[in-house]
Amino acid sequence: TQLLEQSPQFLSIQEGENLTVYCNSSSVFSSLQWYRQEPGEGPVLLVTVVTGGEVKKLKRLTFQFGDARKDSSLHITAAQTGDTGLYLCAGAVDSGAGSYQLTFGKGTKLSVIP
Amino acid sequence: DTGVSQDPRHKITKRGQNVTFRCDPISEHNRLYWYRQTLGQGPEFLTYFQNEAQLEKSRLLSDRFSAERPKGSFSTLEIQRTEQGDSAMYLCASSISGGARDTQYFGPGTRLTVL
């Protein structure tokens, strides 16, 4: 069973500050996806990282996949109140039955205070 | 391009009743997943379809749960004899074979409350 540990679980910061969220596992993943989820809604895909060491940037968000494809980080620069939400990482493993079922972390609940 | 849609968005039912949820994936996506999310947790995998074939089921999927995807397009998830422990958000996701390691796109979910 693959487990993904996300840290921190809760984060409250002032607008304009930088932050990093971590996602760690002892398992190797085929890919890792980051989602953002609002209350009462489904997760919305932010990025998929596939290659070990890969870095992807999405405006003020920077995603990195660890060299061994076991961990990932999300860095937000100059946080804005609109960044408030639940950030979920999810690792994909080829189940052998043709699917890449996702194993999710518990999420990091981010609050950006004006 | 419409995303994944789910219906209903909310369902309140009494213990012991049967409920059915529907998921319409992104039109060209041949893979469809169901997940369940409880408060304070990330989503947990329930079952997977490739076209109309159900290829994988989680241990979480008790015999009261059944899912179908009869024509390889929309899918239904039925829960029989609901229990209070079934209260959760039920999420559907779809993807396309050959996509970047199967990037999955989620619907808005169906929030089930069992009284």
Side-chain angles (χ1 to χ4, degrees):
Chain A
T1 304
Q2 295 81 26
L3 288 174
L4 267 176
E5 300 287 336
Q6 267 188 258
S7 62
Q9 259 191 285
F10 301 95
L11 189 54
S12 182
I13 61 169
Q14 293 287 332
E15 197 169 23
E17 291 183 346
N18 302 334
L19 66 116
T20 302
V21 174
Y22 299 94
C23 182
N24 294 294
S25 176
S26 57
S27 302
V28 176
F29 294 104
S30 301
S31 68
L32 197 135
Q33 297 166 29
W34 283 92
Y35 294 85
R36 186 173 137 191
Q37 187 176 26
E38 301 293 337
E41 298 293 327
V44 175
L45 180 72
L46 296 174
V47 79
T48 299
V49 285
V50 176
T51 307
E54 183 176 3
V55 176
K56 279 192 175 178
K57 290 195 175 186
L58 189 68
K59 296 183 182 177
R60 293 175 295 100
L61 278 60
T62 302
F63 304 86
Q64 184 158 11
F65 201 13
D67 291 340
R69 307 204 321 275
K70 293 182 179 181
D71 54 85
S72 181
S73 63
L74 157 61
H75 182 80
I76 301 179
T77 304
Q80 299 176 356
T81 54
D83 296 327
T84 293
L86 179 69
Y87 290 82
L88 291 160
C89 66
V93 176
D94 184 351
S95 69
S99 79
Y100 285 87
Q101 59 175 268
L102 295 176
T103 298
F104 280 84
K106 288 188 177 181
T108 293
K109 193 165 184 181
L110 173 64
S111 297
V112 182
I113 303 162
Chain B
D1 176 32
T2 56
V4 179
S5 61
Q6 291 187 245
D7 184 69
R9 293 292 311 276
H10 304 275
K11 179 71 178 179
I12 300 174
T13 192
K14 292 182 179 178
R15 192 175 49 188
Q17 298 293 306
N18 299 343
V19 293
T20 300
F21 310 140
R22 177 181 169 122
C23 169
D24 286 89
I26 293 171
S27 58
E28 66 270 24
H29 285 189
N30 60 333
R31 293 179 170 176
L32 188 146
Y33 299 79
W34 284 97
Y35 291 82
R36 180 171 70 185
Q37 186 178 22
T38 52
L39 210 59
Q41 303 293 321
E44 294 175 292
F45 170 77
L46 290 179
T47 190
Y48 159 70
F49 289 85
Q50 179 152 314
N51 301 311
E52 66 277 5
Q54 186 175 19
L55 297 182
E56 210 167 346
K57 290 196 278 190
S58 160
R59 287 190 301 265
L60 291 175
L61 211 66
S62 77
D63 55 8
R64 296 183 298 105
F65 288 69
S66 62
E68 292 183 342
R69 194 183 182 198
K71 297 181 180 178
S73 56
F74 73 91
S75 174
T76 57
L77 178 68
E78 182 184 15
I79 309 174
Q80 295 183 326
R81 304 181 303 281
T82 52
E83 301 172 357
Q84 287 185 325
D86 297 331
S87 295
M89 174 79 94
Y90 289 84
L91 294 161
C92 175
S94 72
S95 68
I96 190 164
S97 302
R101 292 296 196 273
D102 205 53
T103 294
Q104 295 177 31
Y105 297 87
F106 282 81
T110 295
R111 166 74 66 189
L112 172 66
T113 302
V114 182
L115 301 175

